[in-house]
Amino acid sequence: MKKNTPRLRTWICLFVSSLGIHYLMLLLSSVLLLEPFSLSGLWEMTVRRLTEPGDATRYLDIAVNGYVSSGENAINLVFFPLYPYLIRGVGWITGNPALSGVLISQVCSGAASVVLYELILLDADQRSAWDGVLLMALYPFSVFVLGVFSEGLFLLTTLLCLYGIRKRRFLWAGVAGFLSALCRIQGMLLLLPALCELLLLRIGPEKRRFRPGDLAVLLIPAGFGIYLGINYALHGNCFQFLRYEADAPWYQSTKWIGENLRTQYGLAQQYPGLAEIIYWPQIALYFLVLGILFLGLYKKERISYLLYGGAYLGFCYLSGWMISGGRYMLCCVPVYIILSKTKDGTARKLLLFAAALLCFAYSLFYYRAHAIM
């Protein structure tokens, strides 16, 4: 136990620090927004912004009422089941679905920081691992890990899967990937780095033969398969969710990335009030993340990480009417792994400082109820 004490202390420090950054942003935002500032006002604003915006109310409705096949809430089928049903399960203890959603998100977010630290530590030093955690915590749209959104849970399951893949523990990776694919559709993409590492094991210096346990990676798409089964059970159509996504209020379709970027540019010209908050950031993020992935390729980052990062970026930007690009890219974890290994001290400090400023700015936008969903 004594040997593990320093590591446990580090984990606790990571957990508290990553959440503490978000609470600091919340406090600073409330000081600027509440006139006069009061603890009751802070509490009211926090509850309202963490449990009511956007998808939060739909997750809570699924947690309370489940999926339905008719009526106005039938469209809630577009949300994957792991997070809302976890809310239901924890709600049996708390008696409050909203509180359960917040607890799950924040605990998972803090735990995700610990897993990211351990993942980076496999190939780099402690400073790099800490920098990676800070960059994830300071990502401009990371405010969503505090409230009733699936980002925290998806981050944790994704990182656990990547850690299992990296350690060649494919049963671990398969179970975590299964949960990730049951949380968000992008979880299926984890099959790519899993198969990549299996191939490298086969053709690399180890020349390891195939083992029956390697089949556990096929659990990853099985998570999506369960979601398709829910669609079929309710509507007799495995892909009913695509029909709902195509209608109001999402109007989602699949278009080529170039066409989507041109659409974002046109919307930025048409709606200047939203351009700086939504459209320009989504355009910039695409090229920024793409550049970071190429930087990782130049620095010879693990090919499995680059493969996942590229697939994740491309998949997210195939969305025909993107209004949540900043939030989606929060979970592109290879970005944090690549940037964490920046060697130049000045560049590291500037990167963290810029991230902190943007994180505060977008936290302020969020608590002001601007449209940064």
Side-chain angles (χ1 to χ4, degrees):
M1 182 63 181
K2 288 184 178 180
K3 290 183 179 180
N4 292 327
T5 299
R7 198 169 201 176
L8 180 59
R9 289 175 181 169
T10 300
W11 290 355
I12 294 172
C13 189
L14 286 162
F15 188 97
V16 172
S17 298
S18 62
L19 287 178
I21 286 172
H22 297 298
Y23 279 110
L24 177 61
M25 297 297 176
L26 168 61
L27 181 61
L28 292 175
S29 298
S30 65
V31 169
L32 293 177
L33 294 175
L34 299 177
E35 297 180 5
F37 175 81
S38 67
L39 291 178
S40 61
L42 171 61
W43 174 256
E44 182 182 348
M45 183 184 78
T46 302
V47 171
R48 186 172 63 251
R49 296 306 297 158
L50 297 190
T51 63
E52 295 180 5
D55 300 344
T57 55
R58 297 193 179 275
Y59 279 124
L60 293 175
D61 183 76
I62 298 169
V64 174
N65 302 310
Y67 293 110
V68 295
S69 59
S70 60
E72 62 181 72
N73 287 330
I75 61 174
N76 288 348
L77 183 64
V78 303
F79 297 96
F80 277 50
L82 181 61
Y83 181 57
Y85 281 100
L86 271 179
I87 293 175
R88 174 180 289 189
V90 176
W92 291 338
I93 301 172
T94 65
N96 185 324
L99 175 60
S100 300
V102 169
L103 286 175
I104 292 168
S105 293
Q106 295 188 15
V107 170
C108 288
S109 173
S113 298
V114 174
V115 181
L116 177 61
Y117 175 86
E118 292 292 335
L119 181 61
I120 296 174
L121 204 57
L122 294 174
D123 301 300
D125 57 21
Q126 287 184 324
R127 182 164 190 172
S128 296
W130 265 103
D131 283 350
V133 171
L134 289 174
L135 285 168
M136 185 170 73
L138 291 171
Y139 177 77
F141 294 84
S142 60
V143 64
F144 292 100
V145 303
L146 288 183
V148 184
F149 292 88
S150 63
E151 268 63 30
L153 179 61
F154 183 67
L155 272 174
L156 178 59
T157 54
T158 296
L159 283 162
L160 284 171
C161 182
L162 290 174
Y163 187 83
I165 292 169
R166 175 65 182 81
K167 294 286 286 185
R168 276 67 184 278
R169 297 175 182 172
F170 294 108
L171 177 59
W172 174 337
V175 172
F178 169 84
L179 294 174
S180 184
L182 199 57
C183 182
R184 297 262 288 270
I185 193 170
Q186 290 91 337
M188 286 195 306
L189 301 175
L190 289 164
L191 184 62
L192 295 176
L195 294 176
C196 178
E197 290 290 344
L198 280 170
L199 179 62
L200 291 175
L201 270 176
R202 183 69 183 87
I203 67 175
E206 298 177 48
K207 298 288 184 181
R208 203 201 77 174
R209 292 185 177 183
F210 172 80
R211 298 174 183 173
D214 296 342
L215 286 171
V217 300
L218 297 180
L219 288 171
I220 296 172
F224 181 60
I226 287 180
Y227 174 66
L228 295 182
I230 293 172
N231 277 254
Y232 186 81
L234 287 170
H235 298 281
N237 177 6
C238 290
F239 297 96
Q240 179 66 30
F241 73 98
L242 293 176
R243 295 184 179 181
Y244 285 143
E245 285 182 349
D247 293 333
W250 296 290
Y251 303 107
Q252 286 290 3
S253 59
T254 301
K255 297 179 181 177
W256 291 113
I257 294 172
E259 184 179 352
N260 283 334
L261 291 174
R262 286 194 296 271
T263 298
Q264 294 292 305
Y265 177 79
L267 291 170
Q269 302 297 315
Q270 189 176 355
Y271 300 102
L274 295 176
E276 294 80 9
I277 298 174
I278 299 178
Y279 303 123
W280 288 125
Q282 290 185 149
I283 296 171
L285 268 172
Y286 176 79
F287 292 103
L288 180 62
V289 172
L290 189 64
I292 292 170
L293 292 174
F294 274 110
L295 175 64
L297 184 63
Y298 172 76
K299 291 188 172 184
K300 298 181 179 179
E301 186 55 79
R302 295 188 74 84
I303 189 66
S304 56
Y305 294 164
L306 297 175
L307 182 63
Y308 176 69
Y312 187 92
L313 174 66
F315 188 90
C316 289
Y317 275 82
L318 287 172
S319 176
W321 186 48
M322 179 174 281
I323 56 174
S324 302
R327 176 158 63 94
Y328 293 156
M329 296 314 297
L330 164 64
C331 300
C332 191
V333 294
V335 167
Y336 312 124
I337 296 172
I338 295 167
L339 292 179
S340 72
K341 298 172 184 175
T342 303
K343 299 299 182 183
D344 184 82
T346 301
R348 277 202 313 267
K349 292 175 183 176
L350 287 174
L351 184 61
L352 289 169
F353 179 71
L357 283 180
L358 288 171
C359 183
F360 174 65
Y362 275 92
S363 296
L364 192 61
F365 291 149
Y366 178 78
Y367 291 118
R368 278 182 173 171
H370 285 294
I372 61 165
M373 290 294 105

